[in-house]
Amino acid sequence: MYTPDLYKNENPEEIRTFLKENSFGILINQTHGKLCATHIPIELEINADGKEILQGHISKLNPQAEGFAENDQVLAIFTGPHSYISSSWYDHENVPTWNYIAVHVYGKIKIVDYDTAVEQLKKLVDKYEVNSANPVRIEDLSAKTMREARGIFGFEIEIEEIQATKKLSQNRDDHNYQNIITELEKTKNPQSIAVAKEMSKCRK
């Protein structure tokens, strides 16, 4: 991912938090010489060796999974809030742009066994059911329902490289920076307001 130095995020804790809060990603690999991508939850976890990994699952009917054996290199893309930035918000002439936050994770993927895949499902469901009035638990599902889990491949991704971009108008002076935040808040667009919130965190 091309990222000018000004917009690079090299704060490990910040990246870790971002991945946990924006875990619905895009898994990309090459299968039979063709690029494939699937939109799925991909969770940051710690493995038995204490190393950070990504884990998730994919349908066995998805042709993308056929490529894991021939080429274990994958890319997982995670995106956060983003918004158009109008140059009319500056006190000088300039071109419009786009503000956004994104993380690319490169690594090696491997398929895990069924029991490990079920444990992954338990963690995933528990994470997203925590605020439910009647939380679903994998442990409570019937054997008939759990047979559906036989239709997935659980996977782990050994992280080899992380590239993180946080492009939030860092190149603007304080006056224009604050004006961008104000204008974003006026849009009433949830994405734009989220960008304004992130910008406010970066420059008090």
Side-chain angles (χ1 to χ4, degrees):
M1 174 168 58
Y2 169 67
T3 306
D5 289 343
L6 183 62
Y7 304 132
K8 286 182 180 177
N9 185 356
E10 298 177 310
N11 183 320
E13 192 57 42
E14 203 171 281
I15 294 170
R16 188 175 293 114
T17 298
F18 177 87
L19 290 173
K20 288 182 176 293
E21 294 178 352
N22 299 274
S23 58
F24 191 74
I26 305 173
L27 180 66
I28 301 170
N29 77 333
Q30 192 172 67
T31 299
H32 306 313
K34 180 180 179 181
L35 287 174
C36 296
T38 300
H39 299 250
I40 48 174
I42 309 171
E43 301 292 327
L44 182 67
E45 295 287 350
I46 304 294
N47 67 10
D49 298 323
K51 292 183 179 180
E52 288 185 324
I53 59 167
L54 293 176
Q55 65 180 33
H57 63 273
I58 193 170
S59 169
K60 288 182 178 180
L61 298 177
N62 188 334
Q64 183 176 4
E66 298 172 12
F68 298 157
E70 64 184 56
N71 183 356
D72 61 4
Q73 297 294 312
V74 297
L75 165 62
I77 295 178
F78 303 87
T79 58
H82 60 90
S83 181
Y84 175 76
I85 305 298
S86 172
S87 55
S88 69
W89 301 341
Y90 307 151
D91 62 6
H92 59 279
E93 183 179 12
N94 210 307
V95 295
T97 189
W98 209 277
N99 279 3
Y100 67 95
I101 303 175
V103 172
H104 287 195
V105 180
Y106 298 83
K108 292 182 179 180
I109 194 168
K110 70 173 183 179
I111 301 298
V112 299
D113 60 42
Y114 174 76
D115 289 339
T116 301
V118 171
E119 286 302 313
Q120 291 178 353
L121 286 175
K122 288 178 181 178
K123 287 183 181 180
L124 182 67
V125 171
D126 287 348
K127 174 181 177 179
Y128 291 102
E129 288 284 342
V130 67
N131 294 318
S132 176
N134 299 290
V136 173
R137 296 175 71 246
I138 292 294
E139 295 90 330
D140 298 335
L141 298 178
S142 67
K144 179 182 178 182
T145 298
M146 283 305 297
R147 279 201 290 271
E148 294 184 26
R150 296 285 180 185
I152 65 168
F153 286 126
F155 63 76
E156 291 182 355
I157 299 173
E158 176 188 341
I159 298 173
E160 297 182 320
E161 182 182 1
I162 295 178
Q163 298 176 358
T165 297
K166 185 165 66 172
K167 182 179 178 294
L168 297 174
S169 298
Q170 293 96 319
N171 59 331
R172 301 298 164 194
D173 61 34
D174 288 344
H175 171 75
N176 285 285
Y177 192 88
Q178 186 55 52
N179 204 48
I180 293 168
I181 292 174
T182 300
E183 294 296 335
L184 286 170
E185 290 173 340
K186 287 180 184 177
T187 66
K188 298 183 180 179
N189 179 296
Q191 288 279 357
S192 298
I193 292 171
V195 168
K197 184 176 180 180
E198 291 298 327
M199 289 179 65
S200 295
K201 292 178 186 177
C202 296
R203 195 182 296 184
K204 302 293 185 181

